[in-house]
Amino acid sequence: MGQLWANTGSTLATLMFTYTIFRRWFPHVGDHLEPFFQRLFSRFYPYIQIKFHEYSGEHFKRSEVYSGIQSYLSKDSSLRAKKLKANTTKGSKSLVLSMDDREEITDEFESVTVWWQSKKVRNTRQSFSFYPAADEKRYYMLKFHRRDREVIIERYLEHVVKEGKMIDMKNRERKLYSNTPGQNHRNQTKWSHVTFEHPASFDTLAMEEKKKEEIKSDLIKFSKSKDYYKKIGKAWKRGYLLFGPPGTGKSTMIAAMANFLEYDVYDLELTTVMDNTQLRSLLIETSSKSIIVIEDIDCSLNLTGQRKKKKEEEDGDEKMMKSEGEKKESKVTLSGLLNFIDGLWSACGGERIIVFTTNFVDKLDPALIRKGRMDKHIEMSYCGFEAFKVLAKNYLDVEESEIFDEIKRLLEVEGIKMTPADVGENLLPKSEGEEGETCLKRLIEALKEAKEEAKKRVEEEVKQKKEEEEEKKRIKEKKAEMKAKKDEKKKKIEEEQ
């Protein structure tokens, strides 16, 4: 029997060698013979192989199955594999070891043994590439005995992907992404990222407690409504519009939302997006459990006047300079952005929140911010007394003080307007030994100065308005006087004739 198997193995090796040489010299004939050799080889080779590629689909989106397998195999790689590679985990406090390229480990499931191999192949074409990494293709290969096909296909693969996703969620580092301008990365992602480490939370957010609880409840409801959105036939996404003066905490609110839901953040800079096609491509690359942010939407593109008749531009050099500058401007249109928010392309993936921020909500096209696109409008206003108490606790660790009554009077009774950013700056100790009471008194002085400045601005506006009215009156009188002289001159000429 041993001699028989030795002869069989030698014969198979000879056949495979002959087939390889034959395919090299007669490639087209080899294509026709390949099915025959595969059937012959399968009679003696009892194993089945499945490949799981890193990138799949026409747009080369990274496969979630591949990521799940990678995370699943990492839990046992340190014990079984000889070649390992290390990656940092959440918070960069520990390392996760995973299989290196061209390494193999075994796994067991329901008394069935399988083999996993990490593979990497390079494109053999000779053309020059600025992005050599784009020509590398990675994949995992699973090998198992054909008698175990039912166990592997029906239960094991589902087990691997499910366990991998759980491990990935536990170890993952949340990221802050930004779109890189003017580059074509081919197979590579169009987003670059850094670790998202913003410390903001709803506990430290300067806002009324009732309003914070309302926003938190809305976020929790959204994150648990996958089946509900499917039931009503809508893409699983929600839009938030944050509007208010500069310094009122719009960016901090976004960070607090991301930390509350443990979502990644995609900071989309529209001015670097060349056209609607590139905008759709960026959307496809975003992951679920993410917040897509477009800050200062009123400044990003000319979205306020696309539905209005444009005024004629000034003549001369200004018009020429504008036409030259427009050649380099983004060609993203309002309709392209609307399709990005709630059109067909918005359904590519789920569990996404889209956030717009603006200082001037009145400038935005109503079609952009209507309900269904920006579902929840949140006004980020000037600092009130409740918001001040949050800041006092954050900056000074002070919850009660006699000075609070004066600050409350200035903010609520006097109605002095000061942004949370300015309040925080005044509460921030300026030296090592500065006490909280000193900081609170400095805030009171700043509020009184703000009141005087506001009073001066009102007086200046009244004065300016009065001067403008007087100027209009003088111009009107001058025009009437000129008209009277012209009429008198005309009448005199007529009398002379």
Side-chain angles (χ1 to χ4, degrees), residues 340-362:
F340 171 86
I341 300 170
D342 71 342
L344 293 175
W345 289 93
S346 67
C348 297
E351 199 170 359
R352 291 189 182 95
I353 291 176
I354 300 174
V355 178
F356 289 170
T357 72
T358 179
N359 297 334
F360 308 101
V361 67
D362 295 336

Side-chain angles (χ1 to χ4, degrees), residues 484-495:
K485 288 182 178 180
K486 185 176 181 182
D487 291 342
E488 184 179 352
K489 185 177 180 181
K490 183 177 179 182
K491 183 178 180 181
K492 187 176 181 180
I493 294 173
E494 289 176 352
E495 290 176 354

Side-chain angles (χ1 to χ4, degrees), residues 2-12:
Q3 185 64 34
L4 176 62
W5 281 111
N7 292 336
T8 302
S10 177
T11 302
L12 285 174

Side-chain angles (χ1 to χ4, degrees), residues 198-388:
H198 201 292
S201 68
F202 279 101
D203 292 335
T204 60
L205 190 64
M207 181 180 284
E208 296 82 359
E209 193 64 32
K210 182 180 179 181
K211 195 171 183 179
K212 287 195 284 188
E213 289 300 324
E214 179 187 337
I215 296 169
K216 286 163 65 176
S217 298
D218 190 80
L219 292 171
I220 293 171
K221 176 67 175 176
F222 167 77
S223 66
K224 296 180 178 180
S225 299
K226 179 180 180 180
D227 295 335
Y228 178 76
Y229 275 84
K230 185 177 181 180
K231 176 185 174 183
I232 62 177
K234 290 185 64 176
W236 190 15
K237 56 90 187 170
R238 189 159 177 79
Y240 286 78
L241 175 67
L242 308 182
F243 64 96
T248 51
K250 295 184 286 294
S251 299
T252 305
M253 167 65 80
I254 295 169
M257 292 167 65
N259 288 329
F260 182 70
L261 294 174
E262 294 191 345
Y263 282 9
D264 293 326
V265 177
Y266 288 84
D267 184 14
L268 178 59
E269 179 55 60
L270 279 181
T271 56
T272 66
V273 182
M274 297 307 298
D275 50 34
N276 294 338
T277 302
Q278 192 178 62
L279 182 63
R280 290 194 295 267
S281 181
L282 286 167
L283 175 62
I284 291 173
E285 289 290 339
T286 60
S287 62
S288 59
K289 294 185 179 296
S290 62
I291 299 178
I292 302 172
V293 181
I294 303 179
E295 292 197 273
D296 297 321
I297 184 68
D298 53 301
C299 302
S300 297
L301 294 172
N302 183 21
L303 301 173
T304 59
Q306 291 189 15
R307 292 175 177 249
K308 301 177 182 179
K309 186 176 180 179
K310 293 186 177 180
K311 296 181 179 180
E312 293 183 359
E313 302 294 336
E314 294 181 2
D315 297 328
D317 295 338
E318 291 184 2
K319 182 181 286 187
M320 292 179 63
M321 290 173 64
K322 185 170 189 234
S323 63
E324 290 176 0
E326 285 180 345
K327 294 178 182 179
K328 297 181 181 180
E329 288 182 357
S330 171
K331 295 182 180 179
V332 174
T333 63
L334 178 60
S335 62
L337 185 60
L338 297 181
N339 192 27
F340 171 86
I341 300 170
D342 71 342
L344 293 175
W345 289 93
S346 67
C348 297
E351 199 170 359
R352 291 189 182 95
I353 291 176
I354 300 174
V355 178
F356 289 170
T357 72
T358 179
N359 297 334
F360 308 101
V361 67
D362 295 336
K363 290 185 177 181
L364 298 179
D365 194 305
L368 186 65
I369 59 175
R370 68 164 175 79
K371 299 293 184 179
R373 287 178 177 146
M374 293 294 103
D375 305 283
K376 190 170 183 63
H377 296 191
I378 302 174
E379 182 179 6
M380 308 297 291
S381 58
Y382 291 101
C383 188
F385 183 65
E386 284 191 45
F388 155 74

Side-chain angles (χ1 to χ4, degrees), residues 101-119:
D101 299 323
R102 302 184 181 89
E103 181 63 10
E104 179 181 273
I105 63 172
T106 59
D107 190 26
E108 291 188 3
F109 179 77
E110 296 183 3
S111 301
V112 172
T113 301
V114 300
W115 292 263
W116 285 100
Q117 294 179 350
S118 176
K119 300 279 190 176

Side-chain angles (χ1 to χ4, degrees), residues 397-412:
D397 201 21
V398 175
E399 297 186 25
E400 292 292 339
S401 173
E402 295 179 355
I403 305 177
F404 278 19
D405 293 336
E406 176 64 10
I407 294 174
K408 184 177 181 179
R409 185 188 68 80
L410 292 171
L411 290 174
E412 294 187 353

Side-chain angles (χ1 to χ4, degrees), residues 175-192:
K175 298 180 177 65
L176 171 61
Y177 293 86
S178 63
N179 52 311
T180 306
Q183 292 186 5
N184 178 14
H185 293 279
R186 309 206 310 192
N187 294 9
Q188 304 302 306
T189 179
K190 299 171 183 63
W191 296 94
S192 57

